[in-house]
Amino acid sequence: MKPQNMAAARPSGAGDRASDMVLIAAEPLRRMIADIFQAEGCSAAEAARVAKNLMSANLTGHDSHGVLRTPRYVRWLREGFLKADQAAEIVTDTGPFALLDGHHGFGQTVAPQSVELGMKKAAAAGVAIIAVRNSGHIGRVGDWAEMAAEAGFVSVHFVNVAGSQLVAPFGGVDRRLSTAPFAVGFPIEGGKPVILDFATSMVAEGKIMVAASGGKPLPPGVLIDHDGSLSSDPATLYGQGADANLRGPRAGTGAIRAMGEHKGSGLALVCELLAGALTNSGCCGPDNRPTANGMLSFYIDPRSLGLAETMTAEARHYLDWVKTSRPASPDGEVLLPGEPERRLKAKRLAEGIPLSEGAWNSICETARLAGIEPARYGL
Ligand code: NAD
């Protein structure tokens, strides 16, 4: 499929400004992104993992963590902040606990390695705790909760981002937190897992990047400026000027607000402590350290604990009952965490990925710098 102007073919549910959007076919886009990372020095296997994770974010509607990240990842790779084909090192391995150091390798390599280890340990002991430090950006955290859930494991993930102070704590104006995501995967035997996965900021940073490059505008008041005034202007975070994506979020004078008032701000703080301090990846802070994800994950194997049957029966019963809650609006529906993503994935696989022209141009420019011509993929 050739890129189309979305004014004529705009998928419902995308929520973006139709006029400056293009639709890009998923499979050729995935191949092109993989080829960019291979041309930039990643092995074919790693390049495929990175492309798959970025595409998964787009397919599930989290464009903030999708292919839009390609120019920034490539810049990090070229500047040496991110290292190609860096397997995580097991620093500590005691019974059900392990600490992995990602040594600033791609999160798309380090995170699945940590999930594999967590599942192996949980299968043996019933439970496992895996701490990860110094990982490159792990992208959509829900991918890793899904990976565990698809294999029958419950998992809980607390994540922070060292070197990425973006969020003001409840009651404050200055940046003191990262967007510190939290995710839970809960498998339902014979059914679809519950996947709860969100940033603890009112919006993920990438959603501001999407808005800055001409995509879906921000809801009012998700940002706070240095004087305490609320804002929805991406320049509050990125400063003024072209290509916020490459400039990064340090240039602005304001911050993103924490979600859920004092409760969300508290959850973000706990993510910093568990994923940043306990793992020794580092909490977010004013120093100029390289951006890295820390992650503390808990894995439970209901089968080896003899809980699988009762857990599944009760969870199915409960989730069915939740869905019977009368919708608050006539055309509304009660959805379970993970449902919106699954629905959108089927649609985007069929129709293509909506990208702002700004984001698409920036990806094409990155491709050409890597010696790759988008036309080769029919794009
Ligand atoms: P979001 O605000 O869209 O919330 C997503 C969650 O809410 C999902 O679990 C989804 O199923 C659920 N949900 C959405 N609509 C729903 C509805 N109507 N009913 C019931 N449940 C519903 O997500 P976000 O905060 O914008 O985060 C986007 C992505 O960014 C996530 O995948 C997150 O992991 C990722 N992220 C990653 C990093 C990192 O450093 N790697 C940092 C921040 C965010």
Side-chain angles (χ1 to χ4, degrees):
M1 179 169 69
K2 286 255 178 226
Q4 301 173 357
N5 190 298
M6 288 186 62
R10 180 186 175 215
S12 58
D16 299 304
R17 280 199 300 259
S19 57
D20 52 5
M21 301 295 288
V22 288
L23 260 185
I24 312 293
E27 181 47 26
L29 178 59
R30 188 198 60 73
R31 277 191 281 115
M32 183 178 91
I33 299 294
D35 288 350
I36 292 174
F37 285 104
Q38 204 178 342
E40 291 287 344
C42 298
S43 64
E46 178 163 79
R49 279 194 297 272
V50 176
K52 184 178 170 209
N53 175 250
L54 294 178
M55 287 298 296
S56 155
N58 286 113
L59 289 171
T60 54
H62 298 293
D63 299 321
S64 55
H65 286 68
V67 294
L68 170 86
R69 298 257 166 181
T70 305
R72 201 190 279 185
Y73 279 13
V74 166
R75 178 164 58 90
W76 283 344
L77 196 52
R78 288 186 170 207
E79 289 173 357
F81 289 133
L82 198 49
K83 295 182 176 54
D85 291 304
Q86 182 76 61
E89 176 197 1
I90 300 178
V91 180
T92 307
D93 189 348
T94 54
F97 177 78
L99 169 63
L100 306 187
D101 194 319
H103 293 299
H104 300 282
F106 273 87
Q108 289 81 1
T109 293
V110 174
Q113 202 183 328
S114 77
V115 179
E116 289 289 355
L117 185 59
M119 295 193 299
K120 189 172 151 208
K121 283 182 174 291
V127 294
I129 302 175
I130 309 293
V132 176
R133 71 183 184 206
N134 301 328
S135 172
H137 192 246
I138 61 174
R140 176 183 175 245
V141 183
D143 273 17
W144 318 121
E146 265 170 22
M147 181 177 164
E150 274 159 18
F153 294 84
V154 174
S155 67
V156 182
H157 310 263
F158 297 87
V159 180
N160 89 320
V161 202
S164 178
Q165 61 280 7
L166 294 173
V167 181
F170 179 69
V173 163
D174 300 316
R175 302 178 183 193
R176 291 292 182 270
L177 301 161
S178 64
T179 54
F182 172 74
V184 175
F186 193 98
I188 304 291
E189 212 182 298
K192 302 292 182 200
V194 169
I195 304 290
L196 179 67
D197 167 35
F198 55 76
T200 51
S201 46
M202 280 178 106
V203 289
E205 185 241 321
K207 292 201 167 135
I208 304 165
M209 204 196 291
V210 169
S213 61
K216 186 178 177 181
L218 295 174
V222 297
L223 305 174
I224 185 164
D225 218 333
H226 60 103
D227 58 0
S229 59
L230 300 187
S231 158
S232 58
D233 178 357
T236 309
L237 201 69
Y238 291 101
Q240 303 289 347
D243 212 340
N245 190 3
L246 280 176
R247 201 166 55 248
R250 292 187 187 196
T253 53
I256 317 174
R257 294 168 69 208
M259 67 161 209
E261 313 254 317
H262 55 292
K263 303 179 197 185
S265 184
L267 179 57
L269 190 94
V270 165
C271 284
E272 291 290 345
L273 294 174
L274 293 177
L278 190 143
T279 65
N280 199 26
S281 196
C283 300
C284 91
D287 41 353
N288 231 3
R289 68 178 70 170
T291 306
N293 272 140
M295 175 161 77
L296 188 73
S297 304
F298 296 81
Y299 298 87
I300 301 168
D301 183 2
R303 294 152 302 196
S304 59
L305 294 171
L307 301 172
E309 219 168 288
T310 51
M311 179 189 101
T312 303
E314 181 62 16
R316 278 181 177 278
H317 185 64
Y318 175 65
L319 296 173
D320 287 347
W321 184 63
V322 169
K323 295 279 290 180
T324 65
S325 177
R326 284 175 302 129
S329 61
D331 56 346
E333 181 188 358
V334 173
L335 297 173
L336 300 174
E339 269 192 301
E341 284 80 4
R342 276 194 293 276
R343 288 186 185 180
L344 195 59
K345 188 170 182 177
K347 192 175 177 59
R348 287 191 168 183
L349 272 173
E351 292 180 357
I353 307 291
L355 293 172
S356 73
E357 273 181 12
W360 176 235
N361 290 340
S362 175
I363 293 165
C364 289
E365 208 173 298
T366 302
R368 290 188 185 105
L369 281 175
I372 286 170
E373 185 44 58
R376 211 166 85 201
Y377 304 81
L379 298 175

